[in-house]
Amino acid sequence: TIAFPILGKKNITIDGQGAKLIFHGKILPFVVDDCENITIKNLSIDYAEPMYFAAKIIDSGKDFVEMEYDESIFHCDVQEQKLRFWGDHWEIITDTMLVNEFEPAFKGPMHNTPTYMAYFGKEKCTTFMAPIYRYLTAQRTAHNRLRLDGEIEYQHTVGKYWLCTPHLRECPGIFCNNAKNIHISDLRILHAQSMGVICQICENVTLDGVTVKAGEGRLLSTNADATHFVNCSGLVHLNNCIFENMMDDAGNFHGMYLPIVEKQSKNRLLLRFGHYQQKGVNIIKAGDRVRIVNHETLESVQEFTVKSSTLLSPENILLETEENLPECIPTGFVIENHSRMPQVHIENCSTGYNRPRGFLLSTNKDALVENCTFYNLNWGISLTGDALDWFESGSGGNVVLRNNRFDNASYAADPVIRTQSRIQKEVGQIFHKSLTVENNYFRTNGKRFMDVAHIGIVI
C-alpha cells in the first residue's frame, strides 16, 4: 500500500507546509518512480505505533534474559516457539529477529553489547550470518513479561532495553526508483518500518535539512539505514542532515555484483541476484559500461558495453553486450555496472547513536565528507565491497575527509575510519583508490582511529 505514488511525473513539488503525516500499519509513505524534477519538502513522517519491539530488562544471565513491556504500545505473544507481534491491521509471526540492547538515555545501542540474531527455530544457520545467531527458546512469564533462554553468550544489563526488529524491510519512508533530479528538504522522519530514504538507479539526488531521529517516547527511528543509494549516478548531495537512533547505517552508497549463471551465446549472459534483498532490480541499462569481476580477488577481468538488459524474473537478468564475451568464464565470476555510480558530497551533517556505522562510501567516483560530526557505535566512515555475501560492489574512488569531528565516534572501540574488502584470495591488488584525511578532530575511547587495507594512497 502506497500513500503518495508519484509515478511517471515531471516537475512536481509536494510542499507539506509543516504537515505531520502519521501512518498506520504496513504502508509506504512516498514512492517516486520513473520521474524527473521532483521536490518533497516541509513535512514529517511518523507511524501511529512503533514498528519494532522493545522491553525493559528486569533480570538476566549469560543464558537467559527476562523483560517486561508496555502492553499499551507493544503486542507480543509466544506461538509454537515463534514470536507473534501484531498491531494496527498487521501481524508478524517469526522465528528470527535482529537484536540490540539500547540505552534509553541517548536512544542508541550500548557500547559493550553485541548485535545478535535471536532465533527460535531448529535448523542451524549455515550462511555468513551464522556467527551472530543465538539459539533460544521463549516463554511468557506474565501477561507483559517475556523470558528467553539459550546461548545468549552475553549478560544483558538490567534497566536497559532489549530491542528487536521483526519486520521485513518492506516500507521505507521514501522510495525512489529510476528517477532524475530529486530534491528532499526540510523533512523529518521520526519512524519508518524500513529505511528512511532509499534511491536506486537514480541520477542527481539532494537531501537538504533532512532529519532521521526517533520521536518522543520512541527508541528507534528507522528499522534499517537512514539513507541508502544503489547504483545511482550524477551527484548525491547530503547537506545539513541529522541521522540518529537507526538500527543500521546513516548512509550506504554502493552497487551490486551480479553472479553469472551461464554464458548463453558469444554476447549473452544470464545473471542472478547475489542477495535475496536485491532481487527484481534491473540496475543495468543500454549504453552502460560493465565489467566481469573475479569474485575471489575482486579484480576486473574485462569490460563491455551493454546492448540490452532484460529483467526476466525477480531472480534473473539477461545481459547482451556489444562486444564478444570471453570464451570461458569461470564459475562464480560476477558482473559489475561500474559506470552507474555517484559522486558523493556530504557536508554539515551529524550522525550517531545508531547501529552500526556512519557512511559507507563504496562508490568509484569522488567522495567528499566535510564539516560533519560522528558519534556512531562502530565505524564513522567505511569503504568496503564483496562478491561473496552481501554482493555490494563499488571500490572506493578518491575519498576526502576534511574538517570533520569524530567525537566519541566508534564508541564500541572499533577504528573510526576503516577500509576493507572481502577478498577471498589475496593477490596484493589495490581495490580502493585513495583516502585523504585532512584537518579532522578525533576523540576516541582507545588508541586507534584508522584501519586501512587494499587501498592505493593514504594521505
Side-chain angles (χ1 to χ4, degrees):
T1 304
I2 301 168
F4 297 96
I6 308 168
L7 312 177
K9 302 294 184 182
K10 290 185 178 181
N11 307 317
I12 296 289
T13 295
I14 295 180
D15 185 348
Q17 298 183 359
K20 298 178 180 179
L21 306 181
I22 301 175
F23 298 90
H24 294 253
K26 287 189 175 183
I27 182 170
L28 206 167
F30 288 91
V31 169
V32 178
D33 192 3
D34 193 25
C35 292
E36 188 173 341
N37 301 329
I38 304 296
T39 297
I40 302 173
K41 63 181 182 179
N42 300 329
L43 56 86
S44 67
I45 294 172
D46 199 1
Y47 280 73
E49 52 188 14
M51 307 298 279
Y52 62 90
F53 176 81
K56 189 175 184 178
I57 299 163
I58 59 174
D59 196 7
S60 69
K62 290 192 175 181
D63 58 355
F64 81 97
V65 60
E66 188 165 0
M67 53 197 131
E68 64 181 16
Y69 56 92
D70 187 339
E71 288 183 297
S72 67
I73 300 174
F74 301 103
H75 313 289
C76 176
D77 198 1
V78 179
Q79 185 172 309
E80 296 180 352
Q81 274 311 304
K82 292 184 178 182
L83 293 189
R84 172 177 172 257
F85 303 93
W86 71 93
D88 188 5
H89 294 93
W90 63 268
E91 177 187 58
I92 291 177
I93 300 173
T94 180
D95 60 9
T96 311
M97 61 212 68
L98 188 66
V99 174
N100 248 111
E101 182 178 303
F102 264 57
E103 166 58 67
F106 56 78
K107 301 180 180 180
M110 291 284 290
H111 73 280
N112 59 345
T113 63
T115 299
Y116 63 87
M117 199 71 74
Y119 178 63
F120 303 95
K122 296 181 180 180
E123 301 293 329
K124 290 288 184 180
C125 176
T126 57
T127 72
F128 70 100
M129 299 287 285
I132 71 169
Y133 266 64
R134 302 293 182 265
Y135 299 90
L136 309 173
T137 59
Q139 60 176 314
R140 291 276 295 275
T141 56
H143 63 91
N144 67 334
R145 290 191 176 184
L146 188 66
R147 178 185 171 109
L148 308 180
D149 292 273
E151 315 167 3
I152 296 177
E153 300 176 10
Y154 163 80
Q155 185 166 350
H156 280 285
T157 309
V158 173
K160 308 305 180 185
Y161 279 77
W162 188 93
L163 187 148
C164 75
T165 51
H167 284 268
L168 297 175
R169 296 178 173 183
E170 297 170 308
C171 300
I174 299 177
F175 171 63
C176 303
N177 177 68
N178 194 34
K180 183 177 181 180
N181 301 334
I182 302 167
H183 192 277
I184 303 171
S185 65
D186 298 318
L187 182 138
R188 290 175 58 86
I189 298 178
L190 302 174
H191 190 42
Q193 181 219 324
S194 176
M195 299 177 182
V197 178
I198 180 168
C199 300
Q200 59 191 31
I201 330 167
C202 292
E203 181 180 352
N204 299 329
V205 180
T206 298
L207 273 59
D208 190 357
V210 172
T211 296
V212 176
K213 188 173 183 177
E216 182 147 358
R218 303 275 176 86
L219 291 177
L220 202 66
S221 56
T222 58
N223 285 13
D225 301 340
T227 66
H228 201 105
F229 304 88
V230 183
N231 279 114
C232 291
S233 58
L235 173 65
V236 176
H237 185 201
L238 277 55
N239 182 41
N240 289 319
C241 297
I242 300 172
F243 306 123
E244 289 185 356
N245 320 125
M246 302 84 66
M247 198 63 162
D248 220 317
D249 307 309
N252 192 349
F253 305 80
H254 69 89
M256 295 184 199
Y257 284 124
L258 299 171
I260 298 170
V261 177
E262 65 177 358
K263 177 184 173 183
Q264 294 189 335
S265 70
K266 64 181 181 180
N267 65 344
R268 284 192 176 187
L269 289 174
L270 181 63
L271 312 176
R272 66 176 177 86
F273 294 95
H275 194 277
Y276 75 94
Q277 290 175 329
Q278 299 169 346
K279 290 183 179 181
V281 184
N282 192 349
I283 61 168
I284 306 172
K285 297 184 179 182
D288 287 350
R289 293 287 288 174
V290 301
R291 55 191 175 196
I292 296 176
V293 174
N294 184 323
H295 66 294
E296 294 181 327
T297 66
L298 299 184
E299 289 182 300
S300 175
V301 175
Q302 202 163 337
E303 190 170 310
F304 306 91
T305 302
V306 175
K307 184 175 182 180
S308 67
S309 179
T310 306
L311 187 67
L312 300 179
S313 70
E315 286 77 27
N316 295 110
I317 288 176
L318 181 63
L319 180 70
E320 186 176 8
T321 60
E322 295 283 0
E323 305 87 352
N324 289 343
L325 297 162
E327 286 295 323
C328 179
I329 301 175
T331 302
F333 276 27
V334 296
I335 285 287
E336 177 191 15
N337 187 357
H338 69 98
S339 64
R340 198 167 291 278
M341 297 294 281
Q343 180 183 348
V344 175
H345 186 193
I346 304 171
E347 57 179 332
N348 307 313
C349 296
S350 62
T351 173
Y353 302 141
N354 68 298
R355 186 214 73 84
R357 297 154 298 200
F359 298 112
L360 283 72
L361 303 173
S362 296
T363 175
N364 53 33
K365 301 294 193 303
D366 292 346
L368 170 62
V369 180
E370 58 181 343
N371 302 313
C372 294
T373 303
F374 298 84
Y375 37 101
N376 314 94
L377 175 67
N378 298 115
W379 319 306
I381 297 292
S382 177
L383 278 67
T384 185
D386 84 271
L388 300 169
D389 300 325
W390 292 107
F391 291 87
E392 292 185 355
S393 77
S395 54
N398 294 311
V399 178
V400 177
L401 311 177
R402 185 170 63 204
N403 300 329
N404 299 295
R405 186 177 182 88
F406 297 90
D407 198 350
N408 199 25
S410 193
Y411 63 84
D414 288 315
V416 175
I417 301 167
R418 187 179 185 189
T419 72
Q420 60 176 335
S421 52
R422 289 291 310 279
I423 295 177
Q424 195 173 27
K425 288 187 177 180
E426 295 282 351
V427 291
Q429 87 278 15
I430 293 169
F431 186 62
H432 306 295
K433 191 173 182 181
S434 73
L435 173 65
T436 300
V437 182
E438 179 183 2
N439 197 35
N440 297 277
Y441 170 84
F442 296 90
R443 183 176 72 88
T444 70
N445 57 17
K447 294 182 178 180
R448 77 281 174 278
F449 75 96
M450 189 162 65
D451 179 14
V452 297
H454 306 122
I455 193 164
I457 301 172
V458 179
I459 301 173

